[in-house]
Amino acid sequence: MTGLKSFDEYVALAEAAHGHMCAGQILGLRLALYGVKLLGLDDPAGKDRKRLITFVEIDRCATDAITVVTGCRMGTRALKFRDFGKVAATFCDLAENRAVRVTARESSKARARELHPEIGDKNQQQMFAYREMPDEELFDSQWVRVRIEPHDLPGFKAPRVVCEDCGEGISFRREVARDGRTLCRGCAGERYYEPL
Ligand SMILES: [Zn+2]
Ligand SMILES: [Zn+2]
């Protein structure tokens, strides 16, 4: 028995989660379904949920759709974001210790134009085409090795430490040793914000 839903069910779930339906969502759904298919997982968000970790490479529409299919979320540490600006994701099966990276092909948009010249609206045109194009036409895939450190896995337990500069608590070994002190990454110079 498969835990995978019908494509239309995924579309409805993605639309609810993302706030609208768009070509990026269709592409993301297809990309994730292809990824879990290549791994041979038929219930990624159910019985297989503890074995799957997904790395996404863009923070756009497709990513929301990928989380709908895989069930991988930031809050469970099963979704990892690497900001490469690419519609691509790597699906890691912890049980089989293998991973496959799937990328959207640049040719997809042009192919959508070819398939549905009668649809003027680009988003609609792509939504239609991305539903029906075969996986191999939409995506490239490659088997890869992903080194996931124990402290990056879901369920990792380690004592929290406190930054000796700001006093804030730090989990998951994100602390930095600097001149004999234990600092958070912010105090060690990686701050993305400026205190006012
Ligand atoms: Zn969107
Ligand atoms: Zn600090």
Side-chain angles (χ1 to χ4, degrees):
M1 200 195 85
T2 175
L4 291 171
K5 304 178 198 323
S6 74
F7 195 75
D8 284 329
E9 284 177 275
Y10 281 123
V11 169
L13 288 170
E15 183 167 15
H18 182 62
H20 65 250
M21 187 34 63
C22 59
Q25 298 269 320
I26 301 293
L27 198 61
L29 291 174
R30 290 290 308 273
L31 189 152
L33 285 165
Y34 189 40
V36 298
K37 183 172 89 178
L38 290 169
L39 285 177
L41 303 183
D42 62 9
D43 195 6
K47 75 171 163 57
D48 298 328
R49 72 186 184 285
K50 296 227 161 134
R51 59 193 283 187
L52 185 62
I53 288 189
T54 304
F55 286 76
V56 292
E57 299 184 17
I58 197 163
D59 46 356
R60 276 231 61 199
C61 305
T63 295
D64 279 350
I66 289 168
T67 68
V68 165
V69 172
T70 60
C72 292
R73 281 187 282 272
M74 287 268 195
T76 58
R77 313 192 78 214
L79 183 71
K80 312 288 190 191
F81 176 46
R82 296 291 182 271
D83 195 355
F84 289 6
K86 295 181 178 182
V87 180
T90 299
F91 305 89
C92 310
D93 180 359
L94 301 178
E96 294 288 330
N97 194 23
R98 59 183 191 160
V100 65
R101 180 169 178 268
V102 181
T103 59
R105 300 181 68 170
E106 280 303 303
S107 54
S108 302
K109 285 193 174 80
R111 184 72 184 124
R113 267 197 304 278
E114 270 172 32
L115 286 168
H116 289 290
E118 78 285 2
I119 305 176
D121 180 77
K122 285 276 164 289
N123 188 50
Q124 291 293 331
Q125 184 183 62
Q126 287 160 17
M127 280 176 60
F128 263 79
Y130 294 170
R131 271 177 171 255
E132 60 196 26
M133 284 165 65
D135 290 327
E136 294 75 14
E137 213 166 69
L138 280 172
F139 307 113
D140 289 315
S141 67
Q142 56 181 161
W143 292 96
V144 296
R145 177 175 297 116
V146 182
R147 225 173 284 277
I148 305 176
E149 299 294 332
H151 57 261
D152 288 328
L153 288 170
F156 176 77
K157 300 252 191 308
R160 269 165 76 81
V161 301
V162 170
C163 174
E164 290 180 36
D165 200 334
C166 67
E168 294 175 358
I170 310 157
S171 294
F172 304 135
R173 299 213 175 130
R174 266 43 175 183
E175 68 271 20
V176 180
R178 187 64 49 84
D179 302 327
R181 299 169 77 208
T182 299
L183 300 180
C184 71
R185 291 172 66 169
C187 294
E190 292 183 47
R191 233 175 234 148
Y192 62 90
Y193 58 90
E194 297 277 349
L196 296 178

